[in-house]
Amino acid sequence: MTTTLSASEGAAQHSIRVRRLGIDTQYEAVVFMHKECQVCRSEGFTAQARVLLRSRSAQIIATLYQVNGDLIAHDEAVLSEPAWKRLELTEGESVTVSHPKPLDSLSHVRSLIYGNPLGESAFHAIIGDIVDGQYSDIHLSSFLTACAARPLDQNEVLALTHAMVEAGDRMTWPAGVIADKHSVGGLPGNRTTPIVVAIVAACGVVMPKTSSRAITSPAGTADTMETMAPVQLETAEIRRVVEREGGCVVWGGAVNLSPADDILIRVERAIDLDSEGQMIASILSKKIAAGSTHLVIDLPVGPTAKVRSANAAQALAGGLTSVGDSFGLKTRVLSTDGTQPVGRGIGPALEARDVLAVLKRDPKAPADLRQKAIALAGALLELANAAPEEQGETVAAGALDSGRAWAKFQRICEAQGGMRNPPKSRQQRPLLAERSGRVVSIDNRRIGRLAKLAGAPDEKAAGADLHVRTGDLVERGQQLCTVHADAPGELAYAFDYAEANRDIFVLADS
Amino acid sequence: MTTTLSASEGAAQHSIRVRRLGIDTQYEAVVFMHKECQVCRSEGFTAQARVLLRSRSAQIIATLYQVNGDLIAHDEAVLSEPAWKRLELTEGESVTVSHPKPLDSLSHVRSLIYGNPLGESAFHAIIGDIVDGQYSDIHLSSFLTACAARPLDQNEVLALTHAMVEAGDRMTWPAGVIADKHSVGGLPGNRTTPIVVAIVAACGVVMPKTSSRAITSPAGTADTMETMAPVQLETAEIRRVVEREGGCVVWGGAVNLSPADDILIRVERAIDLDSEGQMIASILSKKIAAGSTHLVIDLPVGPTAKVRSANAAQALAGGLTSVGDSFGLKTRVLSTDGTQPVGRGIGPALEARDVLAVLKRDPKAPADLRQKAIALAGALLELANAAPEEQGETVAAGALDSGRAWAKFQRICEAQGGMRNPPKSRQQRPLLAERSGRVVSIDNRRIGRLAKLAGAPDEKAAGADLHVRTGDLVERGQQLCTVHADAPGELAYAFDYAEANRDIFVLADS
């Protein structure tokens, strides 16, 4: 164990051998060292200290946990999986440990807290440190709370968006028009993206769609698409697909677009705080970084959706279009019905089944999903001047009904690595109505939780399949939905939850 | 492994065997479970999830880390030390694991963020959940940031203080007048408390002082006092000492006074955010809970102290006195010189040496420490009507010079378990002036860091001993301070830091 001194900082750097124990801390970099190891003693590190770790190829800030007993030797450091991966380590290698540099950008956060306006450089410093992993949850939460308590003005939202774009990669495309689509989310099912891409690409507008996997929802677009074709493509492969078919639906994780957004979103979720400025910067930074030029945003509004009032929707829409425009991103926002799930399936394979039914023009395909996909594709075609105003939906419907969208989708899947059939679940059990009456409401969050307890999204075939919509009349004993799972245990467990939360479906006398 | 269901919540509770590996996460409750264990799978827990753990005697919220490989078996959960202790577990016992109840009080935090005034019940709900360990760092940081971004008004500070007092234990005393003293801190040395207690008690005013150990500083009053007498007393023992001698200087940790404060302070430190409202509630809630009736606050002001401007000091002083009064706590704030350390020693034993020198009337005792202790004791005696206005310092000085304070201090130490001599360090090495000139400034934070690198406060004899004060003229090669340590390694390491940070002492041409 060596100790060197960089006089500039006066911070000693200790080199220590690393070990891997497969500890998954999700995003958080954690290092475990023995309480009595010389690094901790001479650096005066205490448990929970933030320490700077350097490997040959990278450096990160990690949280220190100290261990007594013989789990860890005095001369080794155990790293959590995220730390291990970001430092690109191999077993037996060494890292240097030291005190991290003071977080100067925190002074900007405090300045924001105390009500002072923040400029470009301040946001760049903050976002830069965030992407470098310098901010702990405490710092991230403070920044996000300040942005909500002292709402960012238009200039600050611009600066924040710009900083978030700059902090990651940017994609560029040969075509002049790059169509994109975003859904603000909070709505189970609602799997319009594969349909919209198929329609828009079929109409000759380039739409290279990078989508995310589920974080808290039962399925992300990437999870659903993956049941029909490979989605984990490298940038070069993505380009080849788009060049060939004019569209794709791939996982965005392979491309490092607006990495700050991924970090901030997790914390926003924990405080359930969506400040307008943050939402605008979060949505637009990803799209700008993706090289999009024309964007349609699906903004579901409803009591259990993310945006709950028409006023909030209007304010958000105004901000999104004006900020988008100032980046040369033509943006149109559609306020949509967020009162209940869209489509029938909730969970990757079940949603894929609905998507395929709409594309194949199956008469039993969910009408709401078809209509919503047409509305979004139509708006996008109008925005991109690929359809006359007021004619977008007609053009989009034509692409669907003629089978061109379905043909395009199959070619896209082939280009992404080969089309496949969504898996079917091994276990199904229907949830029955306990009384007769009219379906007054369906709880978006609870039906989503039910699908997750059944195993979605990890188990692609798991989830919930809705048989009723609000307004329907049902008889006592009629099926409200079917729960799909792979293991009997998970089926039973999801059912326990459903039985205990009957108000997922609220029935009333008609 | 059993699974039961409480229909009310629809949350399954899984029972799982616990194991201890001595993992110190300081305050944070962490539970490690195998990624493939049935609890994680059926509950759909992901890494970093917050989970509710119940033992026979207690329940806590913990952060979940998931482990692959064979470090942890599928049917066991490893708990970090804080989780283990708070659940009062013994090896091989079982705990139940489930989803925690939704954090309803977060709606109050969001309401605060959005600028709405908060009432008594809201603060009680927030502080209650904080003390229950329901708030993660993200939640705590959001609450503290909101209190700074949208400054609390007087009523809210009152409500917050009240909630913090209610959330813990309260001490009551037979005497009608209970004197207390607090220093806002940020100043190394400055160990006036033992002297003030000795003087005030010698003058017949009851002063049961509970003090803290160092958290980030090289020594807390409890650490320093412990080198002269035992400080870890149970409540009953504390009462006996105070009954007998009218005063004590003990560690407050044995008494559960304003536990929320301990939790919040850690996060405030991480964002380096001291909102006035939080500071007032933090300081006063402890004193009110301790049953104090008369309080003098030492408020050091200086560029490297906690409070940096006279204006900030004045605003804080105004808030402290008015809020204190409304709780029937007579409060006087003394703005003191915070430009450099007080006394010579920095570190438990070295500070104790200074305290004893003052009490023993050693002619070489540091004059600034003596004078400051007299000023604080004097103010307290006047406030408690134990001395006429303007006469407090005279009365206090009399108690010191007559030896009554020294005699009282020895009796207090005996009552606390027996007086002892502070230990002496094994290693000393002087830091020499590199040039001649006048001492322009001494950096409080850096000299504190130096003392900590030398081993303070864990090693009681370690620290720094100042030989100069600002304004002094020094010759090249003259001793500026002496670094004390127990191990040669730590002495060398502290010295590396001192060499690399020569501006701890700034010298200029005179």
Side-chain angles (χ1 to χ4, degrees):
Chain A
M1 131 123 221
T2 66
T3 297
T4 62
L5 183 79
S6 76
S8 64
E9 308 225 344
Q13 287 189 5
H14 306 269
S15 170
I16 188 164
R17 184 169 45 83
V18 293
R19 206 173 123 212
R20 185 177 198 171
L21 288 177
I23 299 169
D24 179 4
T25 51
Q26 199 159 29
Y27 57 87
E28 194 186 1
V30 177
V31 57
F32 300 80
M33 289 193 273
H34 198 287
K35 206 182 206 84
E36 297 306 319
C37 79
Q38 204 196 323
V39 182
C40 294
R41 287 178 47 76
S42 59
E43 278 283 335
F45 285 138
T46 54
Q48 283 280 343
R50 306 269 296 165
V51 298
L52 175 65
L53 303 178
R54 278 205 193 84
S55 66
R56 282 176 290 89
S57 49
Q59 69 172 52
I60 61 169
I61 309 279
T63 302
L64 169 68
Y65 288 167
Q66 295 181 319
V67 180
N68 292 318
D70 49 16
L71 175 68
I72 296 178
H74 282 46
D75 62 351
E76 68 179 2
V78 169
L79 299 182
S80 71
E81 290 300 297
W84 189 273
K85 294 189 182 100
R86 275 153 58 196
L87 286 170
E88 295 159 7
L89 292 167
T90 55
E91 200 65 53
E93 236 180 291
S94 287
V95 296
T96 64
V97 186
S98 60
H99 284 277
K101 71 169 174 63
L103 250 183
D104 297 334
S105 68
L106 273 186
S107 62
H108 299 309
V109 174
R110 281 189 291 273
S111 168
L112 184 67
I113 291 170
Y114 294 129
N116 310 314
L118 245 51
E120 282 261 351
S121 61
F123 280 107
H124 272 90
I126 292 169
I127 295 299
D129 280 340
I130 288 175
V131 172
D132 288 349
Q134 305 258 354
Y135 274 41
S136 70
D137 282 357
I138 291 174
H139 304 132
L140 293 167
S141 177
S142 185
F143 172 57
L144 289 168
T145 301
C147 291
R150 215 277 282 141
L152 304 181
D153 63 29
Q154 177 109 343
N155 289 333
E156 291 173 316
V157 176
L158 280 170
L160 174 61
T161 308
H162 193 259
M164 287 172 73
V165 171
E166 292 300 310
D169 299 342
R170 291 188 73 155
M171 301 188 81
T172 53
W173 304 94
V177 172
I178 298 298
D180 206 342
K181 174 254 172 198
H182 179 83
S183 179
V184 169
L187 214 53
N190 195 30
R191 198 57 57 207
T192 54
T193 299
I195 306 170
V196 171
V197 170
I199 294 173
V200 171
C203 295
V205 177
V206 179
M207 187 160 185
K209 187 78 183 73
T210 55
S211 299
S212 55
R213 294 191 183 279
I215 304 173
T216 59
S217 70
T221 294
D223 302 307
T224 300
M225 186 67 186
E226 198 167 34
T227 66
M228 300 179 279
V231 295
Q232 213 144 337
L233 278 63
E234 293 304 320
T235 313
E237 300 171 305
I238 296 174
R239 293 190 173 286
R240 215 173 308 113
V241 174
V242 175
E243 214 165 282
R244 215 173 91 182
E245 299 301 338
C248 69
V249 183
V250 299
W251 178 56
V255 210
N256 185 35
L257 305 175
S258 188
D261 183 48
D262 307 335
I263 298 169
L264 291 169
I265 272 183
R266 178 182 54 79
V267 177
E268 283 173 324
R269 189 168 293 115
I271 25 177
D272 192 5
L273 201 64
D274 287 303
S275 73
E276 197 179 293
Q278 280 291 343
M279 269 178 95
I280 293 170
S282 163
I283 295 168
L284 296 183
S285 63
K286 285 265 190 213
K287 305 304 176 185
I288 294 160
S292 307
T293 60
H294 295 72
L295 171 65
V296 164
I297 295 172
D298 165 23
L299 186 58
V301 184
T304 58
K306 197 167 191 177
V307 174
R308 304 189 173 188
S309 80
N311 289 350
Q314 201 163 28
L316 184 58
L320 282 163
T321 32
S322 59
V323 173
D325 288 348
S326 59
F327 279 94
L329 174 61
K330 287 207 181 341
T331 306
R332 186 183 294 182
V333 180
L334 270 63
S335 290
T336 56
D337 173 11
T339 55
Q340 64 183 324
V342 174
R344 298 195 190 101
I346 297 168
L350 292 166
E351 293 172 13
R353 178 207 58 197
D354 290 348
V355 166
L356 292 169
V358 170
L359 286 168
K360 291 177 175 176
R361 292 152 291 158
D362 179 335
K364 295 193 302 307
D368 60 339
L369 180 63
R370 169 189 158 91
Q371 187 39 52
K372 186 164 183 179
I374 288 172
L376 291 165
L380 199 41
L381 290 170
E382 290 177 11
L383 194 66
N385 297 317
E389 282 300 314
E390 309 300 326
Q391 307 274 313
E393 298 204 5
T394 317
V395 175
L400 250 188
D401 298 332
S402 64
R404 285 183 291 124
W406 170 226
K408 170 58 73 177
F409 185 74
Q410 293 173 81
R411 284 199 301 275
I412 289 174
C413 289
E414 288 311 322
Q416 289 188 197
M419 185 150 192
R420 51 200 180 198
N421 292 323
K424 297 224 179 314
S425 65
R426 294 202 199 80
Q427 314 279 336
Q428 303 90 28
R429 189 171 143 197
L431 181 70
L432 307 179
E434 282 180 320
R435 54 160 293 177
S436 301
R438 189 176 297 281
V439 180
V440 179
S441 69
I442 301 174
D443 188 308
N444 288 321
R445 279 177 284 99
R446 288 214 168 103
I447 194 76
R449 173 96 201 279
L450 176 67
K452 286 175 66 181
L453 291 176
D458 295 353
E459 284 153 30
K460 300 268 189 224
D465 200 13
L466 299 172
H467 304 313
V468 298
R469 317 208 38 78
T470 57
D472 291 359
L473 276 171
V474 298
E475 294 301 317
R476 184 168 190 290
Q478 188 179 327
Q479 298 190 358
L480 297 172
C481 72
T482 300
V483 179
H484 292 251
D486 278 355
E490 278 159 324
L491 185 68
Y493 185 58
F495 240 78
D496 290 340
Y497 177 79
E499 298 288 354
N501 292 269
R502 297 303 309 205
D503 55 354
I504 293 175
F505 298 86
V506 175
L507 301 178
D509 301 327
S510 48
Chain B
M1 129 124 223
T2 64
T3 297
T4 62
L5 183 79
S6 75
S8 65
E9 308 226 342
Q13 287 190 5
H14 306 269
S15 170
I16 188 164
R17 185 169 44 85
V18 294
R19 203 171 126 214
R20 186 177 198 172
L21 287 177
I23 300 169
D24 180 4
T25 51
Q26 200 161 29
Y27 57 86
E28 194 185 2
V30 177
V31 56
F32 300 79
M33 289 194 271
H34 198 288
K35 208 183 205 82
E36 297 306 317
C37 79
Q38 204 197 323
V39 183
C40 294
R41 288 179 46 77
S42 59
E43 279 282 336
F45 284 138
T46 54
Q48 283 279 343
R50 306 269 296 165
V51 297
L52 175 65
L53 303 178
R54 279 205 193 84
S55 66
R56 282 177 291 89
S57 49
Q59 68 173 52
I60 62 169
I61 309 280
T63 301
L64 169 68
Y65 288 167
Q66 294 180 320
V67 181
N68 292 319
D70 50 14
L71 175 67
I72 296 178
H74 282 47
D75 62 350
E76 68 179 3
V78 169
L79 299 182
S80 71
E81 289 301 296
W84 188 273
K85 294 190 181 99
R86 276 153 58 195
L87 286 171
E88 297 160 6
L89 292 166
T90 55
E91 199 67 54
E93 236 181 289
S94 287
V95 294
T96 64
V97 186
S98 59
H99 284 278
K101 71 167 175 64
L103 250 183
D104 297 334
S105 68
L106 275 186
S107 62
H108 300 308
V109 174
R110 281 189 291 273
S111 170
L112 184 67
I113 291 169
Y114 294 130
N116 310 313
L118 244 51
E120 282 261 351
S121 61
F123 281 106
H124 275 272
I126 292 169
I127 295 299
D129 280 340
I130 288 175
V131 172
D132 288 349
Q134 304 259 353
Y135 274 41
S136 70
D137 282 356
I138 291 174
H139 304 133
L140 293 167
S141 177
S142 185
F143 172 58
L144 289 168
T145 302
C147 291
R150 215 277 284 140
L152 304 181
D153 63 30
Q154 177 108 342
N155 289 334
E156 291 173 317
V157 176
L158 280 170
L160 174 60
T161 308
H162 193 258
M164 287 173 74
V165 172
E166 292 299 309
D169 298 342
R170 291 189 71 157
M171 301 189 79
T172 54
W173 305 93
V177 172
I178 299 299
D180 206 341
K181 174 253 172 198
H182 178 83
S183 179
V184 169
L187 213 55
N190 195 30
R191 198 56 58 205
T192 54
T193 299
I195 306 170
V196 172
V197 169
I199 294 174
V200 170
C203 294
V205 177
V206 180
M207 188 161 184
K209 187 79 182 75
T210 55
S211 298
S212 56
R213 294 190 182 280
I215 303 174
T216 59
S217 71
T221 294
D223 302 308
T224 300
M225 186 68 186
E226 197 167 34
T227 66
M228 300 178 280
V231 295
Q232 213 144 337
L233 279 63
E234 294 303 321
T235 313
E237 300 171 304
I238 296 173
R239 293 191 173 286
R240 214 173 310 113
V241 174
V242 175
E243 215 166 282
R244 212 174 91 184
E245 300 301 337
C248 69
V249 183
V250 297
W251 178 55
V255 210
N256 185 36
L257 305 176
S258 188
D261 183 49
D262 307 334
I263 298 170
L264 291 169
I265 272 183
R266 177 182 55 80
V267 178
E268 281 174 326
R269 188 168 295 115
I271 28 179
D272 192 4
L273 200 65
D274 287 302
S275 73
E276 197 180 292
Q278 281 291 344
M279 270 179 95
I280 293 170
S282 164
I283 294 168
L284 296 183
S285 62
K286 287 263 190 211
K287 305 303 176 186
I288 294 160
S292 308
T293 60
H294 295 71
L295 170 67
V296 164
I297 295 173
D298 165 25
L299 186 59
V301 184
T304 58
K306 196 167 191 177
V307 175
R308 302 186 175 191
S309 80
N311 289 350
Q314 201 163 28
L316 184 59
L320 282 163
T321 33
S322 59
V323 173
D325 288 348
S326 59
F327 280 94
L329 174 61
K330 286 207 183 338
T331 307
R332 187 183 292 183
V333 180
L334 271 63
S335 290
T336 56
D337 174 10
T339 56
Q340 62 183 325
V342 174
R344 297 195 190 100
I346 298 168
L350 292 166
E351 294 172 13
R353 180 209 57 199
D354 288 349
V355 165
L356 292 169
V358 170
L359 287 167
K360 289 177 173 174
R361 291 152 293 158
D362 180 332
K364 295 192 300 307
D368 60 341
L369 180 64
R370 169 188 157 93
Q371 187 40 53
K372 185 164 183 179
I374 288 173
L376 291 165
L380 199 41
L381 291 170
E382 290 177 11
L383 193 66
N385 297 318
E389 283 300 315
E390 310 299 325
Q391 307 273 315
E393 297 204 6
T394 319
V395 176
L400 248 188
D401 297 334
S402 65
R404 284 185 290 125
W406 169 227
K408 170 59 72 179
F409 185 74
Q410 294 173 83
R411 285 199 301 276
I412 288 174
C413 289
E414 288 311 323
Q416 288 186 198
M419 185 151 194
R420 52 199 180 200
N421 291 323
K424 297 225 181 310
S425 64
R426 294 199 198 81
Q427 314 279 336
Q428 301 91 26
R429 189 170 143 197
L431 181 71
L432 306 180
E434 283 179 319
R435 54 160 292 177
S436 301
R438 189 175 296 282
V439 180
V440 180
S441 69
I442 302 175
D443 188 308
N444 288 320
R445 280 179 282 99
R446 288 215 169 98
I447 193 78
R449 174 95 201 278
L450 177 67
K452 284 174 68 179
L453 291 176
D458 296 352
E459 283 154 32
K460 300 268 189 226
D465 200 14
L466 298 173
H467 304 312
V468 298
R469 318 208 37 79
T470 58
D472 290 2
L473 276 171
V474 298
E475 293 301 319
R476 184 169 187 290
Q478 187 179 327
Q479 298 190 357
L480 298 171
C481 72
T482 301
V483 179
H484 292 251
D486 278 356
E490 277 158 325
L491 186 67
Y493 185 61
F495 242 77
D496 290 339
Y497 177 79
E499 298 289 353
N501 292 270
R502 296 303 310 206
D503 54 354
I504 293 175
F505 298 87
V506 175
L507 301 178
D509 301 327
S510 48

